[in-house]
Amino acid sequence: DAKTTQPTSMDCAEGRAANLPCNHSTISGNEYVYWYRQIHSQGPQYIIHGLKNNETNEMASLIITEDRKSSTLILPHATLRDTAVYYCIVRVKQTGANNLFFGTGTRLTVIP
Amino acid sequence: EADIYQTPRYLVIGTGKKITLECSQTMGHDKMYWYQQDPGMELHLIHYSYGVNSTEKGDLSSESTVSRIRTEHFPLTLESARPSHTSQYLCASSPSLGLETQYFGPGTRLLVL
């Protein structure tokens, strides 16, 4: 699975858009980009995923560059409850185990 | 909201005791996982299962064992707890079809004295 690089931490003002970048320059053609987040003391929560097209759901938007070497998770109107560690993971769907390799992620702090 | 449950949520126990951490899901998922996470650190996969009667070791070596006798149930057992086992244990499940998004339980925080 491709390695990802994320900033260690970011701050965002409440109500503003939070843009979380992720570099995955060694991603291969059949690898998907997943985003999860982990709020303090809780289990990780799935946010969104994509292959090459931009995606949007009720939680966030995912923008993937045309060369697929990087992506950005966008929380359009950050709230205090969005304070969490955000993980960018790239992996291919396998017929066997689907274990996710969590790195250190980006610690997002939403400031009032 | 995912239907995956872990009990107990918190456990404080003495060295040498046998413990079992419970994980159950009601989504009918074939695949289940156990991760271990120390405070402020990365999650590490310690066990996974493709389905009933299937169990495999994960990336991080662990003295714990698991069993999968029923689809919905994936308990983790430590035969003799030690302080080095103090950590948070997170259970997850995913379907076998589609993109296999993982759904996590709330975790069990274990403290071994």
Side-chain angles (χ1 to χ4, degrees):
Chain A
D1 294 316
K3 181 179 171 59
T4 62
T5 304
Q6 298 177 253
T8 303
S9 63
M10 293 180 62
D11 293 339
C12 177
E14 186 179 16
R16 305 297 290 268
N19 299 298
L20 293 95
C22 179
N23 287 325
H24 31 80
S25 58
T26 59
I27 192 170
S28 58
N30 59 347
E31 287 185 308
Y32 288 79
V33 180
Y34 288 84
W35 283 84
Y36 283 74
R37 73 179 181 184
Q38 188 175 24
I39 296 170
H40 181 62
S41 299
Q42 298 180 22
Q45 177 190 25
Y46 164 79
I47 301 173
I48 200 168
H49 71 270
L51 183 61
K52 51 186 175 182
N53 297 322
N54 297 339
E55 302 288 344
T56 295
N57 63 19
E58 65 278 4
M59 290 182 69
S61 294
L62 174 61
I63 308 299
I64 303 174
T65 58
E66 193 169 341
D67 63 7
R68 301 208 328 120
K69 293 183 185 299
S70 65
S71 60
T72 301
L73 178 75
I74 301 172
L75 308 177
H77 305 286
T79 70
L80 298 179
R81 287 183 293 182
D82 292 323
T83 292
V85 178
Y86 288 77
Y87 298 98
C88 169
I89 302 164
V90 295
R91 74 176 321 278
V92 62
K93 176 181 179 298
Q94 296 178 346
T95 54
N98 185 34
N99 48 293
L100 299 172
F101 294 95
F102 289 84
T104 53
T106 295
R107 183 172 296 278
L108 175 69
T109 302
V110 181
I111 302 168
Chain B
E1 199 69 25
D3 295 322
I4 181 164
Y5 310 98
Q6 291 185 243
T7 57
R9 292 292 311 278
Y10 304 92
L11 179 62
V12 181
I13 202 162
T15 296
K17 300 291 187 183
K18 178 180 179 179
I19 59 172
T20 296
L21 308 184
E22 302 288 349
C23 177
S24 296
Q25 50 95 7
T26 58
M27 298 171 282
H29 288 168
D30 289 324
K31 297 181 179 177
M32 297 189 74
Y33 316 82
W34 277 103
Y35 291 84
Q36 184 175 342
Q37 184 180 35
D38 292 332
M41 305 298 286
E42 302 175 27
L43 285 87
H44 294 284
L45 182 73
I46 52 175
H47 298 284
Y48 60 92
S49 168
Y50 302 139
V52 171
N53 294 325
S54 154
T55 61
E56 300 288 342
K57 294 282 190 182
D59 306 306
L60 181 68
S61 176
S62 174
E63 294 168 345
S64 59
T65 59
V66 292
S67 62
R68 190 87 183 277
I69 298 172
R70 302 198 316 266
T71 297
E72 62 271 21
H73 196 212
F74 191 40
L76 181 147
T77 298
L78 278 164
E79 290 293 333
S80 179
R82 295 207 301 269
S84 60
H85 296 141
T86 293
S87 190
Q88 176 166 252
Y89 294 84
L90 290 154
C91 180
S93 71
S94 68
S96 295
L97 301 177
L99 286 166
E100 304 177 14
T101 302
Q102 289 192 15
Y103 297 91
F104 283 80
T108 294
R109 287 194 177 274
L110 173 66
L111 173 61
V112 183
L113 303 175

